Amino acid sequence: MTLRRLSSLYIAVICFCFSLFFPLPSFAKEWSAPVEILRLYREAPPLEAYEGASAMVWLRENRYRLLSSGDMEQVTRWLIFANGPLKENWRTWKIPVPHKGELTLQETALYDPVSGRLISPLVPSSEKDGVPFVTVRVPPLDGNYVLAIAYRRTFPKRYNVDDVLWTVLDLPQWEQRVNVEVPSGMQLFWSSSAGEPKLERDGVADHYVWQILNQPPWVGKGILAQREGVLAFSLREGAINALQPLMDWVNSMGSITPQFVKDALKDANKAKAGQRIIDWALDPKKKLGGVPWDWARPASELPTEGPWSEWERVGLLHHWLKSADWKSEVLWLPAFPLADKVPGTGRIWLRPVLRLSAPGVSRYYLDGKHPIINGVPSSLSGRTLYALDGANVVKDVIPQGSYSDHRFTIRWNVTVDENGSGSGEVSLHLRGGWIELMPEGESSDVRELLDSFVWPSGLQIDVANAAVEVLKDAYRITVPFSGMVAIPAGGQMLLRLPSAVPKDLLSLGNFAPPYHFLFPFIVEQEGRFTLPKGYDVVSSPPVRGGGKDVIFKEELKWNAKRRFLNSSYMLILKSSTVDINTSAELSNALKEMVRWNELTVPFRKR
């Protein structure tokens, strides 16, 4: 009997005894959205306290308990204050129904933030696209209002109280409460960036309570190690308890073989057969969207022809490729950096990764999500993967690679007319670890990505007509733009050098060194400005260059014959670790980047 099964049996016995001798108290406290709204209207700071925010989470509450049946009950409540339309990812709530479990909506409505009066209920809809959902959509509203969402879910025969919560979101949060209730005397294992919980005992149950106040939004995304506040907990401890159930699940999927895979396996060229299967399985049409990152149905519930979640199709690929005589090993990428002791919940894993090789195919990693560079998906650079080797947990540390492997290039192509108006395209070319900034294929998310930049004032960025290209080892986004790029006056023209700066980098001033990036990197900006006939450059601003651990260099070149000005700067971070000295260099380089939006080059008509 495995450690996991012993643990499950122990918890089941405790639940049974707990139900015999103690009546279960009322778990979900009386919930009154108007009462909470009136309280929070007095206590929460105004939106102006968070620069640039148009919405904030007034209250976020998560409550958990273990029922006598072995089911886990979860109650989730949100109160979100907004001034104007919410961002798309906050306007549509798709809440999946747990497998063989229950989902009960307790509140879906809009309220007035001053009086607490109901503005309008929100009517949910039920959907089933491979998975049953309840969907709540918030209309794009003007003015001030509070969105109230509350629901209860039960996860059958969990024999555990476990979860992973990100305590930092892209909205500021005033008050967060997490209450985990377990039978009295039962130990809860937890890992938290929010500090230790307060332990409250009532004789029947123990309550582990976290309360987090005034959490600013996270504006950095994807490039910093330990980049998000996290709270993980479980009645089990250890990475082996987090891995063994998932490997049992992977091993149960071997009987699922679609007709396409059966046909491909007949190919005598096994390397070719395996690649055909990979290409077919990773077709976007085979992906099940709108589910939590760790959605994994039992093998008996999986459709033979898809669609499948990310976890499901990687698990299936593992079996299909082994049938094609490939060597396939399943490793797991943690959702956050793991300490030596971790809560034993499968939710600590972000996704499975395959380590593959075959005759004629060099070893490489496949996560089914990102382009592969030199055998490693961009998202795995510098990360640690975990796997089971018998009864042991083993690590596989992926090299970060050089800064030249992680390059982010922004190119402007601008045509300037006599009136100083400019038009053209700006392209964003993301390679290496920078691909982590890319949304997962939803066109609406491209707007969110572009909103994560500080753009030059006076330019209209045509997000609606942005084009996304998926290259072999990169992504490229091309966006049309127009607007005033120069000031004309009496045969002279003062040209601005536009620059788009990722807010991720500007937010680094909020961090005290030392801190760590997932990879070293290059950020570069290039511009080509075609001037009207007859204009010539008068003088150029001084260009700079230098640095030790952080290099920043600039260049300006005027081609009088073809009437275009080439401009560029490059920031190179040689090491992913930023200490006190490197932090000062990086801060100065970032100031130079921002300065480019203030640089001008004078031209005169001959």
Side-chain angles (χ1 to χ4, degrees):
M1 186 176 289
T2 66
L3 176 62
R4 178 184 65 86
R5 293 191 180 96
L6 280 171
S7 179
S8 298
L9 180 60
Y10 168 72
I11 294 173
V13 171
I14 289 292
C15 292
F16 177 71
C17 296
F18 183 70
S19 66
L20 288 179
F21 293 102
F22 300 105
L24 287 173
S26 175
F27 174 64
K29 293 181 178 179
E30 291 297 323
W31 166 249
S32 172
V35 170
E36 293 281 19
I37 288 170
L38 291 175
R39 175 182 69 83
L40 291 162
Y41 179 75
R42 297 190 303 268
E43 296 178 3
L47 273 177
E48 291 74 19
Y50 305 99
E51 184 179 354
S54 60
M56 65 181 292
V57 177
W58 267 1
L59 175 66
R60 176 189 179 192
E61 185 174 19
N62 296 86
R63 300 177 65 88
Y64 302 82
R65 72 167 176 174
L66 186 63
L67 302 179
S68 59
S69 61
D71 297 354
M72 185 185 79
E73 181 180 86
Q74 176 196 58
V75 173
T76 303
R77 296 163 178 162
W78 295 84
L79 290 176
I80 300 171
F81 171 73
N83 179 17
L86 289 166
K87 292 191 295 185
E88 180 61 31
N89 62 318
W90 289 97
R91 283 185 52 211
T92 301
W93 295 68
K94 296 187 73 173
I95 309 168
V97 180
H99 179 67
K100 294 187 178 178
E102 295 180 357
L103 166 63
T104 304
L105 288 180
Q106 299 170 331
E107 180 94 50
T108 56
L110 300 173
Y111 287 89
D112 178 79
V114 180
S115 66
R117 288 197 297 264
L118 178 69
I119 296 176
S120 172
L122 297 175
V123 180
S125 61
S126 297
E127 303 177 28
K128 187 167 184 179
D129 183 13
V131 174
F133 295 91
V134 171
T135 302
V136 180
R137 290 186 172 87
V138 183
L141 301 174
D142 294 321
N144 293 335
Y145 58 93
V146 175
L147 168 64
I149 300 278
Y151 54 90
R152 171 185 176 271
R153 294 195 293 178
T154 58
F155 297 81
K157 306 304 178 186
R158 189 82 158 242
Y159 297 114
N160 199 358
V161 182
D162 66 330
D163 205 353
V164 169
L165 298 172
W166 276 266
T167 58
V168 183
L169 305 173
D170 60 348
L171 292 182
Q173 300 174 85
W174 170 242
E175 184 176 348
Q176 298 180 68
R177 304 177 197 154
V178 180
N179 187 318
V180 183
E181 177 186 308
V182 300
S184 182
M186 183 174 286
Q187 186 175 2
L188 184 74
F189 301 96
W190 51 269
S191 173
S192 172
S193 61
E196 295 192 5
K198 180 181 178 182
L199 180 58
E200 300 175 354
R201 293 187 168 98
D202 59 17
V204 175
D206 294 341
H207 297 259
Y208 292 80
V209 180
W210 285 266
Q211 187 163 18
I212 308 167
L213 292 176
N214 197 20
Q215 176 65 62
W218 180 262
V219 292
K221 178 185 177 184
I223 60 174
L224 278 176
Q226 297 180 320
R227 59 191 183 278
E228 295 168 304
V230 69
L231 169 59
F233 54 86
S234 174
L235 291 175
R236 305 183 186 116
E237 184 184 28
I240 191 167
N241 277 316
L243 281 173
Q244 187 65 63
L246 294 179
M247 289 310 302
D248 290 346
W249 168 74
V250 169
N251 293 334
S252 71
M253 303 168 70
S255 62
I256 301 171
T257 311
Q259 188 59 49
F260 179 92
V261 174
K262 292 178 181 177
D263 294 340
L265 291 175
K266 297 175 184 177
D267 194 327
N269 186 329
K270 297 305 181 183
K272 182 178 177 182
Q275 190 57 54
R276 285 179 59 199
I277 291 170
I278 291 171
D279 294 341
W280 179 80
L282 298 187
D283 186 322
K285 296 176 182 178
K286 299 293 181 183
K287 179 183 174 182
L288 178 66
V291 294
W293 83 85
D294 60 346
W295 192 264
R297 292 167 286 184
S300 59
E301 302 289 331
L302 292 178
T304 302
E305 300 293 334
W308 307 290
S309 72
E310 282 188 5
W311 283 33
E312 291 166 352
R313 66 178 178 178
V314 171
L316 290 167
L317 265 174
H318 169 66
H319 290 282
W320 298 339
L321 293 173
K322 288 180 69 175
S323 297
D325 295 336
W326 285 45
K327 183 178 180 181
S328 176
E329 303 165 272
V330 182
L331 302 94
W332 296 85
L333 174 68
F336 55 93
L338 301 185
D340 291 337
K341 293 184 178 180
V342 297
T345 169
R347 298 212 82 207
I348 67 174
W349 308 116
L350 194 61
R351 58 183 177 270
V353 175
L354 298 183
R355 187 166 57 194
L356 301 171
S357 60
V361 178
S362 300
R363 191 178 83 165
Y364 71 99
Y365 296 82
L366 178 72
D367 69 353
K369 183 169 181 160
H370 292 99
I372 296 172
I373 305 167
N374 298 326
V376 178
S378 57
S379 59
L380 299 184
S381 296
R383 306 297 284 270
T384 299
L385 306 179
Y386 295 77
L388 273 186
D389 182 8
N392 298 316
V393 177
V394 295
K395 298 179 183 180
D396 184 3
V397 180
I398 308 296
Q400 289 180 336
S402 166
Y403 56 80
S404 60
D405 295 326
H406 309 282
R407 204 173 189 117
F408 186 6
T409 306
I410 302 170
R411 290 189 177 94
W412 298 84
N413 193 349
V414 190
T415 300
V416 187
D417 65 17
E418 294 272 0
N419 300 316
S421 179
S423 62
E425 294 180 334
V426 56
S427 68
L428 285 65
H429 196 179
L430 297 92
R431 285 159 286 185
W434 285 103
I435 290 174
E436 283 288 281
L437 297 184
M438 278 296 299
E440 293 184 41
E442 299 291 336
S443 59
S444 60
D445 289 341
V446 174
R447 176 182 295 275
E448 183 179 343
L449 173 65
L450 296 176
D451 285 345
S452 69
F453 286 79
V454 175
W455 295 96
S457 60
L459 292 187
Q460 289 76 50
I461 308 298
D462 188 2
V463 180
N465 288 307
V468 180
E469 296 176 79
V470 182
L471 308 177
K472 180 181 179 182
D473 59 356
Y475 285 90
R476 183 163 54 216
I477 303 172
T478 305
V479 192
F481 72 90
S482 61
M484 295 298 295
V485 296
I487 303 173
Q492 299 186 63
M493 187 177 291
L494 201 59
L495 176 70
R496 289 193 303 157
L497 301 180
S499 171
V501 183
K503 293 178 183 177
D504 292 356
L505 295 179
L506 298 181
S507 68
L508 295 179
N510 301 326
F511 296 90
Y515 54 88
H516 306 273
F517 290 95
L518 291 174
F519 45 82
F521 58 77
I522 293 176
V523 178
E524 57 188 344
Q525 196 121 197
E526 302 172 352
R528 169 168 286 196
F529 305 86
T530 303
L531 276 294
K533 288 183 179 180
Y535 279 85
D536 203 351
V537 69
V538 177
S539 64
S540 298
V543 294
R544 313 179 190 195
K548 180 182 177 184
D549 298 313
V550 181
I551 297 174
F552 186 83
K553 52 187 179 181
E554 306 170 310
E555 189 175 69
L556 287 172
K557 287 186 177 179
W558 166 245
N559 187 316
K561 182 177 181 180
R562 298 186 178 181
R563 305 189 325 278
F564 61 70
L565 176 74
N566 283 339
S567 66
S568 67
Y569 69 69
M570 178 183 292
L571 183 154
I572 301 174
L573 180 67
K574 291 184 176 180
S575 170
S576 59
T577 299
V578 178
D579 57 20
I580 293 177
N581 295 328
T582 310
S583 176
E585 285 192 66
L586 182 57
S587 177
N588 290 334
L590 292 174
K591 289 177 183 177
E592 295 299 320
M593 287 178 63
V594 174
R595 181 181 66 90
W596 267 65
N597 270 330
E598 302 169 0
L599 282 182
T600 55
V601 180
F603 285 81
R604 181 185 296 124
K605 198 166 188 179
R606 295 191 297 270

